[in-house]
Amino acid sequence: MTRVALAFSGGLDTTVCVPLLEEEWGYDEVVGVTVDVGQPAAEFAEAEETAEALDLEHYVVDAKAEFASQCLDSVRANATYQGYPLGTALARPVIAEAILDVAKENDCDAVAHGCTGKGNDQLRFEAVWRASDLDVIAPVRELGLTREWEIEYAAEKNLPVEGGNEGVWSIDTNLWSRSIEGGDLERPGHVPSEEIYDWTRSPSGDTEEIELTFENGYPVAVDGEEMAPIALIEHLNEVAGEYGVGRTDMMEDRMLGLKVRENYEHPAATTLLNAHETLESLVLTKEERDFKKLVDDEWSQKGYEGLVDAPLMDALEGFIDATQTRVTGTVTIRFEGGQARPVGRDSEYAVYDESFASFNTEDVGDITQADATGVAKYHGFQERLAAKVLAEAKGKENEAVTDGADWSEE
């Protein structure tokens, strides 16, 4: 008996994959696997109801803790892609690993997903799965299916597919972010209405301040109250979302070269990333900050590609770990006008001394202000010299042209 484990959400794509895997690929049994990375409860109810209607063996795996850990690792790397916090990208490898575990436990011969051939997720899933000895199947991609064809097929097969917003938008929600795409949002010039948003209110004139505590680069408390990662993220999503924090409307460059319109909500992620980077600015030297920007960019790119287990990531995280031992302290964040703005920061590791920086003190320790005169004289010396040399050379060229151009008649 042949078996295949399917990444199963209960939505249109994965629902039509069930009979297709049996009819087109000849599998005797399809095992549905839904992985919990913080989706709404309604999505699990839909998946379970659909699985029951299909008489599908169905597993639900709780991977919220693993995903939350990945999200907070991304904070230490200041991870964003083209300006927005990584969310779906970080979730996919976690989901893929969980599905692969279920597939192996149930003696499956293959794993399958419902991704199209145009998106990023197919690559993120398969980067994990192709390291195993199981076959990898992508019915929607391999058969070139469209949403219209799937709807007609579901109707012909009397598959338990509900309409709802999935007919208008494609929505992906996890603990860290919520993405909305499709429908009118595919037009770059379309201005979306407030109804696409669920986590964030439209920004108002209200404000609120909170204090975040970090230890070794990880957020551990809000307003002095210690919180576990999942609870902390959920709390900040709710609080920051009330002030319209964490909305992104962008044109995103996918891995396959397509440019797509994406809308995201990420209140907690925006808040934590802003706070973390602010604390780093207090405790790291300029050289560390400049170099870490390069490291963070590489980490973010690999995270976006779903290659979180790449050898390069181990090397990058080695540097990040070394810097984060001093990223301990507090940051005060003010929510206002859709922003999570840092307004205060404090750490025992601050590379800062108020008496040195103050305008009310004369000297910097044993360094007098007059000591800066020599530095000021040398600063820009090469630039001034180069400008002088160029000016002199240009003057000589002009003289040569003038001397050699005699237009008078003999």
Side-chain angles (χ1 to χ4, degrees), residues 362-363 367-376:
E362 183 176 349
D363 300 323
I367 304 172
T368 67
Q369 292 192 49
D371 290 335
T373 301
V375 178

Side-chain angles (χ1 to χ4, degrees), residues 85-123:
L86 298 178
T88 299
L90 297 179
R92 291 304 186 244
V94 174
I95 294 171
E97 288 284 2
I99 293 169
L100 186 59
D101 288 343
V102 172
K104 292 177 178 179
E105 291 169 2
N106 286 271
D107 297 322
C108 291
D109 305 282
V111 282
H113 61 72
C115 302
T116 72
K118 294 184 177 182
N120 294 322
D121 286 343
Q122 57 179 329
L123 306 180

Side-chain angles (χ1 to χ4, degrees), residues 2 48 55 70 86 128 183 194 205 263 284 290 315 330 341 344 375 395:
T2 57
E48 291 173 358
D55 195 25
Q70 186 76 278
L86 298 178
V128 174
E194 284 293 309
N263 282 264
L284 299 184
D290 288 346
T330 60
R341 188 163 65 89
V375 178

Side-chain angles (χ1 to χ4, degrees), residues 18-34:
V18 175
L20 287 174
L21 286 166
E22 296 170 344
E23 296 168 2
E24 300 294 329
W25 277 268
Y27 282 97
D28 299 309
E29 289 187 7
V30 179
V31 176
V33 187
T34 304

Side-chain angles (χ1 to χ4, degrees), residues 88-256:
T88 299
L90 297 179
R92 291 304 186 244
V94 174
I95 294 171
E97 288 284 2
I99 293 169
L100 186 59
D101 288 343
V102 172
K104 292 177 178 179
E105 291 169 2
N106 286 271
D107 297 322
C108 291
D109 305 282
V111 282
H113 61 72
C115 302
T116 72
K118 294 184 177 182
N120 294 322
D121 286 343
Q122 57 179 329
L123 306 180
R124 295 163 179 157
F125 276 121
E126 294 183 30
V128 174
W129 290 348
R130 291 187 182 280
S132 73
D133 57 358
L134 301 184
D135 291 334
V136 177
I137 304 170
V140 175
R141 180 184 69 198
E142 293 173 30
L143 297 176
L145 307 184
T146 64
R147 181 59 59 92
E148 292 179 354
W149 186 93
E150 291 179 27
I151 292 173
E152 292 178 2
Y153 178 79
E156 290 174 6
K157 293 288 184 178
N158 195 29
L159 299 178
V161 176
E162 297 182 3
N165 274 345
E166 191 168 32
V168 181
W169 307 307
S170 176
I171 299 175
D172 182 81
T173 304
N174 58 50
L175 185 67
W176 198 237
S177 73
R178 179 175 180 268
S179 69
I180 317 101
E181 61 182 358
D184 289 337
L185 298 177
E186 292 180 347
R187 293 188 286 111
H190 173 74
V191 179
S193 63
E194 284 293 309
E195 67 177 330
I196 74 166
Y197 300 110
D198 184 54
W199 284 9
T200 58
R201 292 178 180 267
S202 181
S204 67
D206 297 334
T207 66
E208 181 179 346
E209 290 182 6
I210 65 168
E211 184 183 78
L212 295 171
T213 302
F214 287 82
E215 291 182 2
N216 298 323
Y218 289 112
V220 295
V222 180
D223 291 329
E225 180 183 349
E226 292 187 5
M227 292 185 178
I230 295 173
L232 186 146
I233 294 169
E234 290 177 337
H235 174 73
L236 289 178
N237 273 333
E238 183 176 345
V239 174
E242 286 293 313
Y243 296 91
V245 171
R247 289 185 179 183
T248 299
D249 187 331
M250 65 180 295
M251 299 304 300
E252 179 178 324
D253 295 302
R254 286 181 175 171
M255 284 184 272
L256 294 179

Side-chain angles (χ1 to χ4, degrees), residues 249-365:
D249 187 331
M250 65 180 295
M251 299 304 300
E252 179 178 324
D253 295 302
R254 286 181 175 171
M255 284 184 272
L256 294 179
L258 291 173
K259 191 180 291 291
V260 294
R261 167 82 174 284
E262 296 281 5
N263 282 264
Y264 295 101
E265 293 182 285
H266 36 74
T270 294
T271 301
L272 291 171
L273 286 165
N274 289 357
H276 177 265
E277 195 162 11
T278 291
L279 191 56
E280 281 193 336
S281 73
L282 180 65
V283 303
L284 299 184
T285 64
K286 180 182 183 301
E287 288 77 10
E288 287 175 309
R289 293 175 68 190
D290 288 346
F291 191 79
K292 190 170 184 292
K293 174 100 173 43
L294 302 176
V295 172
D296 291 346
D297 287 346
E298 286 295 326
W299 196 104
S300 300
Q301 183 63 41
K302 285 299 177 187
Y304 182 75
E305 294 169 355
L307 301 176
V308 293
D309 292 325
L312 176 60
M313 290 292 267
D314 290 336
L316 296 174
E317 288 181 351
F319 177 82
I320 292 172
D321 285 342
T323 62
Q324 298 306 290
T325 57
R326 286 173 284 138
V327 186
T328 294
T330 60
V331 178
T332 301
I333 291 286
R334 178 179 296 161
F335 299 125
E336 59 180 357
Q339 298 183 21
R341 188 163 65 89
V343 293
R345 71 284 289 157
D346 185 60
S347 173
E348 63 179 308
Y349 299 105
V351 185
Y352 174 81
D353 188 305
E354 184 178 349
S355 66
F356 292 167
S358 175
F359 291 120
N360 293 320
T361 56
E362 183 176 349
D363 300 323
V364 180

